[in-house]
Amino acid sequence: VSIQMLGRTIEQTFPASISITEDSVLVQGEYQLTHADLGLEPFSLLGGAMAVGAEIDFTYRLRANVVAQ
């Protein structure tokens, strides 16, 4: 997948579970990126006393259903 952020395009691969039935396709999974993967620095305040974690968790579920015509 291509991720576009802050004028950069980053190519990433990620795991997926794919289920196909008569009337639908379901793709789902989860993965983790770091701020560095995206060319970002983690947000922090007070000289680093308060900061967000370095990792960003993604969970996705995509479903496509057959539409009767």
Side-chain angles (χ1 to χ4, degrees), residues 11-34:
E11 297 293 326
Q12 290 286 319
T13 58
F14 51 89
S17 168
I18 302 172
S19 301
I20 301 172
T21 66
E22 271 185 36
D23 58 355
S24 69
V25 175
L26 176 65
V27 179
Q28 60 187 352
E30 51 188 60
Y31 62 104
Q32 190 177 74
L33 294 175
T34 65

Side-chain angles (χ1 to χ4, degrees), residues 3 5 10 12 30-43 52-59:
I3 300 171
M5 183 177 280
I10 301 157
Q12 290 286 319
E30 51 188 60
Y31 62 104
Q32 190 177 74
L33 294 175
T34 65
H35 284 85
D37 292 335
L38 300 172
L40 303 171
E41 286 190 36
F43 177 78
V52 298
E55 293 83 22
I56 304 167
D57 296 320
F58 293 90
T59 301

